[in-house]
Amino acid sequence: MDIYTIIFLALAVFIFLRLRSVLGQRTGNERPPFDRTAARNALGGAQDKNVVTMPGKVIDQAPLAPTAEPAQPSDRWKGLTEPGTALAQGLDAIVDKDSTFDPRHFISGARGAYEMIVLAFANGDRRALRDLLSSEVYDSFDAAIKEREKNEQKTETRFVSIDKAELVGAELRDRTAQLTIRFVSQMISATRDKSGNIVDGSADTVADITDIWTFARDITSRDPNWKLVGTGSAN
């Protein structure tokens, strides 16, 4: 064996020992590689998703809580309306097509939407309004805001209370559910000109306001949100 063969063998042994020290050796107790599919299955089949919170989620819906026995027809809308009324029939029609619909949860969300919309209109917040209103209602609100801006006026509105939010109408038109609510509230509202003088309303008088608003939603859509499609006032 010549000197060059001995040198190459020595280098090979040296390199083998270095690699062994760096990479380690298998002992039979190593942790298995992470199985992403198995992990998802262990968590109930959850999948990786990019979740984006969309704006304007005001009147969403929660599934009805399970009960031991289905509610009897006579008790189905207890506290909302009497059996056989047009309102009860409209609610029945909506629930028949969308079993997750809960009118009591809807009313709770509608109260929040009512306050948000009134304040957004007073503040001229078009971005908030666009997410809460149908295109037709938005155009009407936007025109009023533009007229106010043209006259260099500002509106100040403050809620004192929302005394009642009462469901007064329910209807299913093809795929669209429509719900009408009567809001009874107390608020202080005043519109000032550019000099600060009040041109409408009062800065210190509490006004009793009754509004009748209609919200709508396509029940076949995956979007759970309702939008304001009609407004009226009893004042």
Side-chain angles (χ1 to χ4, degrees), residues 18-148:
R18 291 291 294 172
L19 289 173
R20 185 183 180 88
S21 66
V22 172
L23 300 177
Q25 51 186 321
R26 301 186 65 84
T27 66
N29 297 319
E30 292 80 7
R31 179 177 296 179
F34 176 71
D35 188 337
R36 189 176 298 271
T37 301
R40 286 200 297 265
N41 292 337
L43 293 173
Q47 300 180 354
D48 296 332
K49 293 182 179 178
N50 293 324
V51 180
V52 180
T53 301
M54 299 300 292
K57 291 192 174 180
V58 176
I59 311 179
D60 58 356
Q61 302 177 131
L64 293 173
T67 56
E69 297 181 358
Q72 296 299 319
S74 60
D75 297 331
R76 194 176 197 182
W77 309 124
K78 187 175 182 179
L80 296 176
T81 187
E82 297 296 324
T85 62
L87 176 56
Q89 293 172 2
L91 292 174
D92 286 339
I94 294 173
V95 171
D96 286 346
K97 296 296 183 180
D98 182 3
S99 61
T100 67
F101 172 66
D102 180 356
R104 295 170 182 84
H105 186 76
F106 170 85
I107 293 172
S108 176
R111 290 174 66 97
Y114 174 65
E115 184 171 355
M116 287 179 63
I117 292 170
V118 170
L119 295 179
F121 174 69
N123 296 328
D125 187 349
R126 290 180 172 88
R127 178 176 295 180
L129 292 173
R130 192 179 294 277
D131 292 327
L132 302 170
L133 313 180
S134 68
S135 57
E136 294 82 2
V137 175
Y138 174 82
D139 289 343
S140 176
F141 277 44
D142 182 53
I145 293 173
K146 286 179 178 176
E147 182 66 19
R148 203 164 59 205

